């Protein structure tokens, strides 16, 4: 189900709250890995991937990242297969958005984007672009979030101000 712009904050808040509760119960976390998991969940949820499918999307995304390793190894074959899996999944989401004509979400607007002649952009062009847009932002966002979490953890005064703002 697509997340409407009016639902973005609700979805992000629910995902963040669940992850923070999990972090607090654990007592200790690997900050970067934890923020990468959180960020990927937010991104795939906003694209319209059901929460039940998050684990398989995360697995293929992690395998896809192997394509950044130098040299041609069997890992590149695995990365290519995962990229193809991600592209098929994104293609299915975009095809559904095209069938509905929905442009009220970012994914819907991209899926239903048109060229200068008013024709829908070919899926063969749209899918890699949405993959790049969604997944390239993942690492940057996760790293920024990890830095923010570490800074917050180091500053009791900042923690008190944040708690007061929430209350």
């Amino acid at each position: 189900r697509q997340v409407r712009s009016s639902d973005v904050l609700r979805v992000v808040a629910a995902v963040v709250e669940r992850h923070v509760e999990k972090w607090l119960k654990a007592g200790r976390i690997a900050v970067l890995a934890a923020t990468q998991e959180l960020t990927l969940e937010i991104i795939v949820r906003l694209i319209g991937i059901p929460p039940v499918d998050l684990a398989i999307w995360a697995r293929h995304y992690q395998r896809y990242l192997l394509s950044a390793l130098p040299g041609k190894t069997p890992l590149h074959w695995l990365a290519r297969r995962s990229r193809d899996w991600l592209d098929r999944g994104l293609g299915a989401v975009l095809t559904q958005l095209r069938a509905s004509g929905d442009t009220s979400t970012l994914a819907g607007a991209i899926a239903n984007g048109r060229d200068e002649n008013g024709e829908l952009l070919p899926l063969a062009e749209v899918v890699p672009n949405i993959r790049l847009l969604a997944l390239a932002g993942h690492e940057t966002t996760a790293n920024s979030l990890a830095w923010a979490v570490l800074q917050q953890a180091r500053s009791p005064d900042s923690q008190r101000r944040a708690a007061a703002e929430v209350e």
Side-chain angles (χ1 to χ4, degrees), residues 97-156:
L97 288 167
R98 283 186 169 185
S100 71
D102 184 1
T103 59
S104 66
T105 65
L106 178 60
I110 293 170
N112 290 292
R114 297 185 179 271
D115 65 17
E116 60 277 356
N117 298 319
E119 300 293 322
L120 283 171
L121 296 170
L123 271 181
E125 292 178 16
V126 176
V127 168
N129 280 295
I130 200 162
R131 175 178 21 93
L132 177 65
L133 177 67
L135 301 179
H138 170 255
E139 290 298 318
T140 304
T141 304
N143 287 325
S144 297
L145 189 55
W147 178 85
V149 167
L150 290 172
Q151 292 304 313
Q152 186 75 14
R154 290 184 184 141
S155 172

Side-chain angles (χ1 to χ4, degrees), residues 42-113:
I42 290 170
I43 289 169
V44 299
R45 292 281 309 278
L46 295 180
I47 290 172
I49 307 304
V52 68
D53 294 336
L54 176 63
I56 192 163
W57 278 80
R59 186 176 79 226
H60 281 287
Y61 173 66
Q62 292 301 321
R63 288 179 179 171
Y64 171 63
L65 290 178
L66 296 173
S67 64
L69 296 174
K72 294 294 179 190
T73 69
L75 293 177
H76 281 85
W77 174 81
L78 185 62
R80 191 172 328 124
R81 285 187 59 199
S82 285
R83 181 204 60 208
D84 293 346
W85 186 94
L86 291 167
D87 285 356
R88 282 191 304 276
L90 290 170
V93 169
L94 296 174
T95 298
Q96 289 174 342
L97 288 167
R98 283 186 169 185
S100 71
D102 184 1
T103 59
S104 66
T105 65
L106 178 60
I110 293 170
N112 290 292

